[in-house]
Amino acid sequence: MKHPMLLWLAGITLTAFSLSAAAAEKAIHQGIVDNYKAEKVSEHVYVIHGPAGQPDKENQGFINNPGFIVGDSEVAVVDPGSSAAIGRAVLAHIRKVTDKPVTKVFITHIHGDHWLGNQAFKEDNADAKFYASAGMIEDAKQGAGDSWIETMDTMTEKATAGTELVIPTEALTQDQEIKVGNVTVKAHLVEGKAHTSNEVMFEVVEDKLLFTGDTISNARLILMDEGSFPGSAKNAERIVAMDLSTIVPGHGASGDKAIVTAYGDYMNKLYTSVKELREEMEAHEMKPKIAEQIVAYKDWHSMEDTLGKHISLAILEAEQEDF
């Protein structure tokens, strides 16, 4: 028979373990709450601008620009981040602004740093609706969601552990309009491929504002492994033609359409240069010459690390275009 003290200690240990598990399930990214603010970028829209870089242990996966739209009776969120803990931090910022219910969550694309925070908003409101393109929803169901959970866990050394998939269920159509109280959100499905396939941009009509997702990034290079350089340039032209006042990129500071013009110019110059040079030299030989063509963007974040990879990917896309 075990000593009563041992049984009591075992009970304490079990209780502590249970409390620890419960705490982990409701973990919050306190760094976002303490060190970032929800910046009001238009009449109805707030954005928490994330840091540059890739998901890692230090940032706990927080690198994107979660935003929220405050209507007269409800709130909608755009791209709530890469974990449940980040989503809860976004919710904490919303609660600093308003106590209106969060009823809708809009997702721009499949990359997990933008949408795995859905769980926090499902916890907060079981009736909340989650919107994305039909292709994104299907990809998530077919394994991309689980893969992104694993990727985030690995990149952050388990800082995002405990996040569960909440896959969007509401498939958007081109130019579909959805009301967030007295505010209108219009879905712009990206034609073809830009940063990825199956992307959606969200216009807040009354504010003349556009959430671009990763079709546009401000002053930083992002991965283009699933994207298209001419497709990105074409999409940038489409955004400029919308003549909107405020642009919220997937990464980097919000601003006006000059952000879009610069990003489209980078994509166009890189791809055009690659097509002109690929018959004359190898990818590594192109880099200094292409760098001269895009010297205006030499200080963009991750330029040194990413330009070479962009050139290699652009060569592959140009070769595919030949066929």
Side-chain angles (χ1 to χ4, degrees), residues 243-258:
D243 195 26
L244 300 173
S245 300
T246 305
I247 301 298
V248 181
H251 301 271
S254 298
D256 59 23
K257 62 185 179 183

Side-chain angles (χ1 to χ4, degrees), residues 143-196:
D146 290 324
S147 177
W148 273 107
I149 290 279
E150 294 174 6
T151 296
M152 285 299 163
D153 277 358
T154 299
M155 294 183 76
T156 65
E157 299 179 41
K158 298 295 183 180
T160 58
T163 299
E164 299 174 0
L165 283 181
V166 175
I167 297 173
T169 58
E170 310 298 314
L172 294 159
T173 57
Q174 189 68 274
D175 297 328
Q176 181 178 348
E177 293 188 350
I178 299 163
K179 299 299 287 188
V180 181
N182 62 328
V183 180
T184 308
V185 176
K186 185 175 183 179
H188 295 278
L189 276 64
V190 176
E191 299 170 357
K193 185 186 292 187
H195 177 62
T196 67

Side-chain angles (χ1 to χ4, degrees), residues 178-312:
I178 299 163
K179 299 299 287 188
V180 181
N182 62 328
V183 180
T184 308
V185 176
K186 185 175 183 179
H188 295 278
L189 276 64
V190 176
E191 299 170 357
K193 185 186 292 187
H195 177 62
T196 67
S197 56
N198 303 315
E199 293 171 285
V200 187
M201 303 182 295
F202 295 100
E203 177 185 356
V204 182
V205 176
E206 289 80 4
D207 293 18
K208 297 193 71 176
L209 176 147
L210 187 70
F211 285 95
T212 68
D214 281 1
T215 67
I216 300 295
S217 181
N218 184 7
R220 61 169 288 176
L221 298 189
I222 55 178
L223 298 179
M224 286 291 291
D225 300 59
E226 303 166 53
S228 166
F229 294 91
S232 293
K234 180 180 178 182
N235 187 66
E237 291 177 0
R238 177 190 179 190
I239 296 170
V240 170
M242 292 180 187
D243 195 26
L244 300 173
S245 300
T246 305
I247 301 298
V248 181
H251 301 271
S254 298
D256 59 23
K257 62 185 179 183
I259 295 170
V260 182
T261 301
Y263 192 75
D265 184 58
Y266 165 80
M267 290 289 174
N268 182 59
K269 284 181 175 175
L270 181 134
Y271 193 65
T272 300
S273 297
V274 163
K275 291 186 73 174
E276 291 174 352
L277 297 171
R278 65 192 173 113
E279 299 299 332
E280 303 174 19
M281 59 188 70
E282 299 296 325
H284 68 278
E285 297 174 305
M286 291 183 193
K287 186 174 178 180
K289 292 185 176 295
I290 293 177
E292 292 175 7
Q293 298 297 316
I294 56 169
V295 67
Y297 314 121
K298 64 182 178 64
D299 294 327
W300 281 13
H301 184 273
S302 76
M303 176 64 74
E304 183 62 32
D305 295 334
T306 307
L307 178 59
K309 187 170 185 179
H310 277 193
I311 291 169
S312 296

